[in-house]
Amino acid sequence: MSDTDDVSVSVVLPAGGTGERFGSSMPKQFCPVMDRPIILYTLHEFHRLSCVKHIVVVVSQPYMDYMEELVESHGYSKIMVVRGAQTRHRSIYNGVKTLKSVLEPSDVVIIHDAVRLFIDASTIQEVAKASKETGAAGVHRPLISTVISSDGCGYLEESLDRNRYCASEMPQGFIFSVILSAYEKATDHDFDFGTECLHLALKYAGTKARLIEGPHNLWKVTLRKDLYAAEGMLKENELQVQVVGCCDRDLVTHLQQDFAARHLKMTVCDSMETCDLVDTNCTVYYYTQFDCDVITEYTENHHEEQKKDGIVARTPFMDKVIVHVIRSEDKVMDCCRKVREAMQGKTKSWRKKHLLVYFVLSETKASVAVVSEMVASVIWTRDPVMAGQTYMAFD
């Protein structure tokens, strides 16, 4: 889909929930996944689209300063942070009212959940175009479980035909005048107990929403176990690996297999000149001997390229992972001492530059399968606490 044909939209992102089902003192939208709050992934997907003109994030009072800091540190220029309310509908209404000063009645507003982090441009535009045409539109998914009703005494009353029903999901889109009018006419009962925006548009604005079957990845983080699923999906979607200067074809083959087993894409670059230091976020360098100057230069190059690209002016969306693999004739313990003495202090400064640097050492006689699995594991876990550590591969 061409971005030039996109419908311009503004977004209201309710993020004021307390996450009672999540079972955490911190609201789930601010819980970290891969060292970033969940809400940042959702914001990033909207903010990077040229069709998105304004984003209103509605948060509870205790987290307003924190949200403002996140917005500022990542250079998000389209975002306004607004105070939330006691219920979902009241919070969304606060966000919708904020847009009155910047929108025309015929403009399109998208409402989305902060914890549905796998939103994509195609779905956003499909909902935007449908709502522009009909006044309201929303995404749905087929029901997975059978739906039953109770008689109020704990006994089965009815089993519903799930083929007649579907699960309402996000995003949902509206002509601005439709959703504003619906909220202006809503009752206290709607605000206190309702959760469905499309129903308000039907009930108070007479607008029947077009329903669009959405992709399977529009689920939202609800329970703590969902964090692990989200992390796995993010790694598969976001991590790109390049292997630079590896003359050991056997090792390259093993790396391809180990990364493929984790559903990660890998490219092979013969030299620094052909590798991507800006968009690729995981790089493996290969050496046949330890060279402090070369390792330092290669690592610093990533930061220098970010400067040229303007990324250093803000916090990068994701830290870069750099793994230096050294397979030499030296004893692995001797090589480890060289690395520790030469790199002491450097890795901490690299961490401040959002570079997670690791070292994997082995003797040339060591199994390439062991080395490969260790490299793949380091990249997959990408643990910032372990940045700067040296791993030694033995048979």
Side-chain angles (χ1 to χ4, degrees), residues 197-209:
C197 302
L198 296 178
H199 183 253
L200 291 183
L202 176 63
K203 185 177 180 181
Y204 294 110
T207 302
K208 199 171 185 178

Side-chain angles (χ1 to χ4, degrees), residues 145-163:
S145 300
T146 298
V147 180
I148 59 176
S149 62
S150 168
D151 62 3
C153 298
Y155 291 93
L156 177 68
E157 182 176 69
E158 184 181 6
S159 177
L160 303 180
D161 181 2
R162 67 182 180 187
N163 292 320

Side-chain angles (χ1 to χ4, degrees), residues 234-252:
L234 280 169
K235 286 178 177 178
E236 290 184 11
N237 293 343
E238 302 294 338
L239 299 188
Q240 312 99 31
V241 184
Q242 59 185 352
V243 177
V244 183
C246 185
C247 55
D248 189 332
R249 296 297 99 186
D250 194 19
L251 177 57
V252 169

Side-chain angles (χ1 to χ4, degrees), residues 77-260:
S77 58
K78 306 176 185 179
I79 296 176
M80 297 175 279
V81 179
V82 175
R83 183 176 178 176
Q86 291 299 312
T87 66
R88 176 178 174 82
H89 272 325
R90 293 185 191 278
S91 290
I92 294 174
Y93 186 29
N94 284 355
V96 171
K97 287 187 294 184
T98 301
L99 291 170
K100 291 174 69 174
S101 62
V102 294
L103 295 190
E104 297 294 329
S106 60
D107 288 339
V108 172
V109 176
I110 293 282
I111 299 173
H112 189 66
D113 291 323
V115 290
R116 295 182 192 267
L117 62 168
F118 297 106
I119 183 64
D120 61 87
S122 177
T123 301
I124 293 169
Q125 269 302 306
E126 188 173 5
V127 171
K129 288 183 177 181
S131 59
K132 185 75 172 177
E133 294 169 0
T134 65
V139 171
H140 71 89
R141 289 288 299 163
L143 288 174
I144 298 175
S145 300
T146 298
V147 180
I148 59 176
S149 62
S150 168
D151 62 3
C153 298
Y155 291 93
L156 177 68
E157 182 176 69
E158 184 181 6
S159 177
L160 303 180
D161 181 2
R162 67 182 180 187
N163 292 320
R164 296 184 56 207
Y165 300 89
C166 56
S168 178
E169 308 284 1
M170 289 287 180
Q172 295 176 352
F174 305 87
I175 294 296
F176 183 57
S177 60
V178 169
I179 192 62
L180 180 61
S181 173
Y183 273 117
E184 288 174 340
K185 297 175 182 177
T187 66
D188 285 340
H189 185 274
D190 293 316
F191 279 118
D192 291 338
F193 301 102
T195 59
E196 180 54 69
C197 302
L198 296 178
H199 183 253
L200 291 183
L202 176 63
K203 185 177 180 181
Y204 294 110
T207 302
K208 199 171 185 178
R210 180 184 298 173
L211 300 182
I212 301 167
E213 184 166 346
H216 66 88
N217 58 355
L218 285 178
W219 56 276
K220 68 176 183 176
V221 174
T222 303
L223 306 174
R224 291 189 65 82
K225 66 179 182 179
D226 296 333
L227 289 179
Y228 303 103
E231 180 175 342
M233 288 184 64
L234 280 169
K235 286 178 177 178
E236 290 184 11
N237 293 343
E238 302 294 338
L239 299 188
Q240 312 99 31
V241 184
Q242 59 185 352
V243 177
V244 183
C246 185
C247 55
D248 189 332
R249 296 297 99 186
D250 194 19
L251 177 57
V252 169
T253 299
H254 277 82
L255 286 171
Q256 288 172 330
Q257 294 170 350
D258 288 331
F259 285 129

Side-chain angles (χ1 to χ4, degrees), residues 337-349:
R337 280 191 289 270
K338 292 178 182 178
V339 171
R340 184 179 60 191
E341 293 169 0
M343 295 293 120
Q344 192 172 15
K346 291 181 183 292
T347 53
K348 288 185 179 180
S349 68

